[in-house]
Amino acid sequence: MLIFKTIAETQSACAQLRGEGRILGLVPTMGALHEGHLSLVRAARAVCDVVAVSIFVNPTQFGPTEDFSKYPRTFEDDCALLKQEGVDLIFAPTVDEMYPAGASTFVLVEGVSDRLDGASRPGHFRGVTTVVSKLFHITKPHKAFFGQKDAAQVAVLRKMVRDLNFPLQLVVCPIVRESDGLALNSRNRYLSPEERQKALVLHRALEKVKDAGAGGETSAQKLVAAARDVFAEEPSVRVDYIAVVDPDTLEEVPDVRSGALVAVAAFVGTTRLIDNIVL
Ligand code: PAF
């Protein structure tokens, strides 16, 4: 398994692999890897000849009061897991390598970047699209793999790939959950045992919405109210948003008859968690 810290080495190794006619898959991550990330790696392994994983805690997608400095960094463990999964190449640059002094160019997908997490975390998606564009330019993958847990990120990246004609296929993999339903998230490791129990309210609220939808309820307002009732049972968990939206534009829809994404974000203590279902 090759481990590179520089753009030049990564660019030339990826160019060589592509030149040999191999299908290259990229799994972008911020490290602190869990089964959700490994499911992306396995999906990539299944359809690509070569799998590259980037590990980079990207400062430009964190707001000034967010957890950039305390975000879990577990590089040695991550490398061991990726080696077991048969990953071919890890790209783990420093911040200075990715953003040398004076770097002032950003990629912004207007509109969709201001919705859901983009509304709660101004500038977040500009940071995501900037770093993912750079990763795409550096590695030039045939396919790139992202998790459905970050459904808003997926919508923003899909639009970016289309609008900027990136010659690659974006592959979205299902949410991986613990046996009790908690969606896997690197930030779950911030939770105390009691908070972890409380965090299950996100999944419970979405299950209630799913049941209501299966029972024939199509009104977005009523589905949101059903989810809010569940959150009311766990008052220490602060809801950031519960939204019923079009999965591509992230604009709110009044009813779910033509399909919708139901997305929630909530603070459990100081930890912000997200989860979603597609109806
Ligand atoms: O989903 C993530 O972990 C990050 O947003 C990503 C796509 C690796 C960009 O930093």
Side-chain angles (χ1 to χ4, degrees):
M1 185 174 70
L2 300 166
I3 303 180
F4 294 132
K5 296 215 173 280
T6 69
I7 292 171
E9 287 168 305
T10 308
Q11 242 166 357
S12 99
C14 291
Q16 186 178 337
L17 291 163
R18 274 194 327 273
E20 290 165 4
R22 306 221 248 161
I23 300 294
L24 174 63
L26 173 68
V27 181
T29 82
M30 298 207 298
L33 301 182
H34 50 64
E35 278 295 317
H37 297 109
L38 300 185
S39 75
L40 304 182
V41 169
R42 288 170 199 147
R45 227 341 12 118
V47 293
C48 300
D49 303 315
V50 181
V51 178
V53 175
S54 61
I55 299 180
F56 179 61
V57 185
N58 173 35
T60 63
Q61 68 187 77
F62 289 79
T65 60
E66 292 183 351
D67 57 344
F68 172 67
S69 55
K70 82 161 198 194
Y71 195 84
R73 288 160 171 88
T74 56
F75 186 66
E76 300 303 326
D77 292 350
D78 293 346
C79 289
L81 286 171
L82 295 176
K83 191 160 188 206
Q84 271 172 28
E85 295 295 330
V87 163
D88 301 279
L89 186 156
I90 296 177
F91 174 47
T94 60
V95 171
D96 286 347
E97 179 74 5
M98 284 301 264
Y99 298 110
S104 60
T105 305
F106 294 89
V107 175
L108 173 64
V109 182
E110 288 186 354
V112 71
S113 291
D114 297 328
R115 298 178 193 133
L116 300 189
D117 305 285
S120 310
R121 305 179 64 190
H124 170 67
F125 285 127
R126 185 181 83 144
V128 171
T129 43
T130 299
V131 80
V132 172
S133 299
K134 287 169 72 75
L135 293 169
F136 285 172
H137 284 306
I138 293 163
T139 60
K140 296 196 172 58
H142 297 93
K143 297 171 192 282
F145 296 78
F146 297 89
Q148 170 65 19
K149 180 183 61 66
D150 299 298
Q153 171 169 281
V154 165
V156 172
L157 291 175
R158 265 196 211 291
K159 188 149 187 346
M160 179 187 87
V161 165
R162 196 172 57 231
D163 289 356
L164 294 183
N165 310 103
F166 279 102
L168 57 85
Q169 185 195 357
L170 206 141
V171 182
V172 181
C173 300
I175 299 177
V176 179
R177 298 180 181 281
E178 304 271 13
S179 55
D180 57 8
L182 185 69
L184 296 193
N185 185 332
S186 299
R187 290 186 169 95
N188 288 352
R189 48 183 100 197
Y190 296 153
L191 301 171
S192 68
E194 301 80 60
E195 287 174 335
R196 180 168 177 324
Q197 223 20 58
K198 290 180 179 176
L200 293 173
V201 68
L202 279 83
H203 178 59
R204 278 205 307 279
L206 290 171
E207 284 294 296
K208 178 89 176 280
V209 169
K210 193 155 86 184
D211 291 348
E217 183 56 71
T218 64
S219 151
Q221 207 183 356
K222 291 203 174 129
L223 293 172
V224 169
R228 284 202 182 274
D229 285 346
V230 178
F231 273 100
E233 293 160 13
E234 205 64 82
S236 66
V237 173
R238 181 164 62 84
V239 174
D240 178 7
Y241 64 70
I242 303 174
V244 180
V245 299
D246 177 288
D248 294 321
T249 65
L250 305 184
E251 281 174 315
E252 297 210 3
V253 294
D255 78 49
V256 300
R257 262 170 288 197
S258 30
L261 170 75
V262 184
V264 300
F267 287 90
V268 183
T270 54
T271 306
R272 186 174 179 281
L273 300 177
I274 57 175
D275 200 348
N276 68 80
I277 52 167
V278 177
L279 291 181

